Amino acid sequence: AQKITQTQPGMFVQEKEAVTLDCTYDTSDQSYGLFWYKQPSSGEMIFLIYQGSYDEQNATEGRYSLNFQKARKSANLVISASQLGDSAMYFCAMRDLQGAQKLVFGQGTRLTINP
Amino acid sequence: EAQVTQNPRYLITVTGKKLTVTCSQNMNHEYMSWYRQDPGLGLRQIYYSMNVEVTDKGDVPEGYKVSRKEKRNFPLILESPSPNQTSLYFCASMSGGWVTDTQYFGPGTRLTVL
């Protein structure tokens, strides 16, 4: 069955430091996609970055990068040079062939950036 | 601007009073979905639609109805709301059903059922 696990309920980081948010996944499919979303206190879900199971290079989008370790089934989000505006909930999500019509979400990590 | 819109953003109602949450997307996407978000449970899919007049149940469909009469619109209907349907609801759309397709979310509707 598809499953996403985020083991860090909350993280506190100093401004300008890099931060890694953990995500592990479980699927029996060889073809799948991994996604990260940001949810600020205003509530909307903002797409950040995507990694495909067949992508050989780690995805990057500006200050966001995805540390994809396929053998370990992990897809950690790395935020470089954190900013106060990065304080939010972060969700890891996955779609595979069995459930291509939906995203399966983890429970999220609440990130707080301290000045 | 490409976007998914939802209305209303906030709604307080009473048990049993029928309500509809509208959702519209301007990206000509085939797939649309409804999710609910509850503390500690993450987001769970309620219903989805692969195209006009094609809908199917997600993981938590009980107590909800949907329709897809036009490609851009996908309303969520609660015919007899109950307090356990108090939640944050998101509409989402994506261009196709491939695992690589990104889902884009609306701003959310915060529903309280008294």
Side-chain angles (χ1 to χ4, degrees):
Chain A
Q2 311 146 301
K3 188 176 181 181
I4 294 283
T5 303
Q6 295 180 253
T7 57
Q8 307 154 310
M11 286 194 68
F12 295 84
V13 173
Q14 287 299 119
E15 190 179 9
K16 299 182 183 177
E17 289 184 351
V19 57
T20 298
L21 305 181
D22 294 340
C23 172
T24 58
Y25 61 92
D26 191 22
T27 176
S28 56
D29 285 340
Q30 296 301 309
S31 181
Y32 51 88
L34 296 155
F35 304 81
W36 277 91
Y37 288 83
K38 173 184 178 181
Q39 186 177 40
S41 58
S42 51
E44 69 267 32
M45 295 290 287
I46 302 168
F47 166 70
L48 295 178
I49 196 167
Y50 158 81
Q51 179 86 40
S53 58
Y54 294 116
D55 295 339
E56 295 187 351
Q57 292 195 338
N58 288 339
T60 60
E61 288 286 350
R63 293 186 299 112
Y64 304 108
S65 61
L66 203 152
N67 184 1
F68 181 47
Q69 298 186 42
K70 195 170 183 177
R72 299 180 64 181
K73 292 191 172 180
S74 74
N76 299 337
L77 177 70
V78 180
I79 306 174
S80 63
S82 58
Q83 303 171 355
L84 296 178
D86 293 333
S87 293
M89 281 288 286
Y90 288 82
F91 290 95
C92 180
M94 176 182 70
R95 180 184 301 115
D96 64 14
L97 285 177
Q98 291 181 58
Q101 76 285 354
K102 70 177 180 184
L103 281 171
V104 174
F105 284 83
Q107 300 206 11
T109 296
R110 182 169 297 281
L111 175 64
T112 303
I113 307 298
N114 295 315
Chain B
E1 180 190 354
Q3 60 182 352
V4 179
T5 57
Q6 294 177 231
N7 281 292
R9 295 289 312 279
Y10 302 90
L11 179 60
I12 301 174
T13 189
V14 296
T15 299
K17 186 175 182 181
K18 181 179 179 179
L19 66 92
T20 300
V21 184
T22 64
C23 172
S24 183
Q25 51 93 4
N26 63 1
M27 295 171 278
N28 201 36
H29 282 171
E30 303 279 340
Y31 276 69
M32 297 185 75
S33 293
W34 277 101
Y35 292 82
R36 61 178 289 175
Q37 182 181 11
D38 302 291
L41 297 176
L43 280 81
R44 296 174 293 167
Q45 191 184 52
I46 302 170
Y47 268 95
Y48 66 95
S49 169
M50 293 180 284
N51 213 326
V52 175
E53 303 291 1
V54 181
T55 63
D56 207 347
K57 297 176 181 178
D59 294 324
V60 288
E62 292 77 22
Y64 304 95
K65 285 178 59 177
V66 293
S67 68
R68 186 97 181 269
K69 299 188 187 309
E70 303 167 286
K71 195 173 186 179
R72 61 184 293 130
N73 297 324
F74 191 44
L76 179 69
I77 303 158
L78 285 72
E79 296 212 325
S80 185
S82 61
N84 65 10
Q85 293 178 298
T86 292
S87 187
L88 178 58
Y89 291 86
F90 287 100
C91 180
S93 74
M94 63 181 178
S95 56
W98 297 105
V99 298
T100 56
D101 289 326
T102 300
Q103 277 201 331
Y104 296 95
F105 286 80
T109 295
R110 194 169 293 277
L111 172 65
T112 302
V113 183
L114 302 175

